[in-house]
Amino acid sequence: MTDAHTSPEFVTERIREAILSGDLRPGEKLHQDKLADMLGISRTPLRTALTALTQSGLVSYENNRGFYVREFSFSDVAGAFQVRAELEATACRLAASNMSEAAEQLLFELVEEGDRLLSPGSLSPENLVPYRRMNVGFHTAIMELAANPWIKTFVESLHNVPLASDRVIMWRDFYVIRRSHDDHHRIARALAKGQGERAAAIMREHITFALEHLHTQLEEYPEDFLRVPTADALSSKTRTRRRHRRPAA
């Protein structure tokens, strides 16, 4: 019987989280012996996990290089945001027709949880994980209410693109967090009223604004992001700052 903590599924999620959190950096070679020791597992489930992550697009493999963390350009990130905005807007349109008292209660409970976490006037470090959990729960609830499993499947695949996930919270600027959470309020109210098109428009703007703010943050504070994309679509100022701050390989 396979221990839950050594199953390929568990190992896949552990490595995925390490990549998305920045513990494993873009381009970093994934040494199987080192990872196996770190996770306390054999190489068999590890190899299965790395293969699964390669298929999902988060890890790359080359014959002469082995497995390594895939590198994404800013164009990749922006494209993921654009597709995610359209998919989640569609989810809102569909969800509006499937609202029930229980669904409405769930959305408003999640929004109230966000209010509680933001009530001190800042998002403290200890509240970041609970707020992220609330944010993911809110977006997931709407996709499930849409009753179209393809939306959730494709959006989840987009979460494999670093910085394009709903787990990313821009918490340097509280105004941005507050503005984003106000969108949650407006989306929940629109859905409760069956206003699918309005909820879709707010959701599209909600995700588009996140992309615009991310671009600004990458220009001003590239050191804040553990998985800074390559600079293909960033300003020359950002490229210059990054060149000075990152040693040559």
Side-chain angles (χ1 to χ4, degrees):
M1 184 174 182
T2 303
D3 186 286
H5 290 78
T6 62
S7 69
E9 294 77 15
F10 179 82
V11 176
T12 300
E13 189 58 27
R14 281 285 304 276
I15 298 173
R16 180 174 181 270
E17 288 298 322
I19 293 172
L20 292 176
S21 68
D23 291 337
L24 295 171
R25 305 295 294 274
E28 182 174 342
K29 181 175 174 60
L30 298 172
H31 297 279
Q32 295 187 50
D33 290 338
K34 182 179 177 180
L35 282 173
D37 289 341
M38 181 181 75
L39 298 171
I41 60 172
S42 69
R43 290 186 58 169
T44 299
L46 177 61
R47 179 87 182 187
T48 302
L50 291 174
T51 299
L53 289 166
T54 301
Q55 292 171 344
S56 72
L58 200 53
V59 167
S60 295
Y61 178 82
E62 294 178 7
N63 288 331
N64 60 344
R65 186 176 178 185
F67 293 101
Y68 60 95
V69 180
R70 179 180 171 184
E71 296 179 271
F72 290 85
S73 69
F74 189 80
S75 295
D76 294 328
V77 176
F81 266 97
Q82 291 162 359
V83 174
R84 184 184 153 207
E86 294 304 320
L87 287 172
E88 293 204 39
T90 299
C92 283
R93 280 196 296 272
L94 296 175
S97 301
N98 298 323
M99 291 298 293
S100 63
E101 288 186 12
E104 182 177 331
Q105 180 179 352
L106 173 60
L107 291 180
F108 282 117
E109 284 178 352
L110 288 165
V111 168
E112 289 170 5
E113 172 67 3
D115 290 342
R116 184 186 68 78
L117 294 168
L118 299 181
S119 61
S122 64
L123 182 58
S124 61
E126 62 268 22
N127 284 340
L128 178 60
V129 171
Y131 186 84
R132 182 185 291 124
R133 189 182 304 119
M134 178 282 303
N135 187 60
V136 171
F138 184 84
H139 286 264
T140 299
I142 293 173
M143 288 188 285
E144 290 177 347
L145 283 168
N148 184 329
W150 289 108
I151 293 175
K152 187 178 177 183
T153 296
F154 287 125
V155 170
E156 286 178 347
S157 71
L158 294 171
H159 291 173
N160 283 325
V161 180
L163 303 179
S165 171
D166 56 6
R167 74 185 62 213
V168 175
I169 306 298
M170 308 300 176
W171 65 313
R172 170 181 281 270
D173 189 336
F174 183 73
Y175 162 77
V176 172
I177 300 170
R178 183 72 258 180
R179 180 194 188 281
S180 178
H181 191 54
D182 285 344
D183 288 344
H184 294 154
H185 276 273
R186 296 192 298 140
I187 292 167
R189 288 198 299 267
L191 289 175
K193 295 177 182 178
Q195 299 172 342
E197 290 297 333
R198 182 164 181 262
I202 299 170
M203 179 64 82
R204 185 181 293 106
E205 172 59 22
H206 175 72
I207 296 173
T208 300
F209 174 75
L211 171 61
E212 292 173 350
H213 181 67
L214 171 63
H215 187 235
T216 299
Q217 290 291 286
L218 285 174
E219 288 190 313
E220 296 183 3
Y221 308 104
E223 70 279 6
D224 277 4
F225 297 89
L226 295 172
R227 289 187 51 79
V228 177
T230 54
D232 65 321
L234 299 181
S235 68
S236 58
K237 177 179 71 173
T238 304
R239 289 194 289 270
T240 300
R241 292 169 68 174
R242 193 175 297 162
R243 188 160 52 244
H244 288 309
R245 295 181 182 186
R246 295 177 63 183

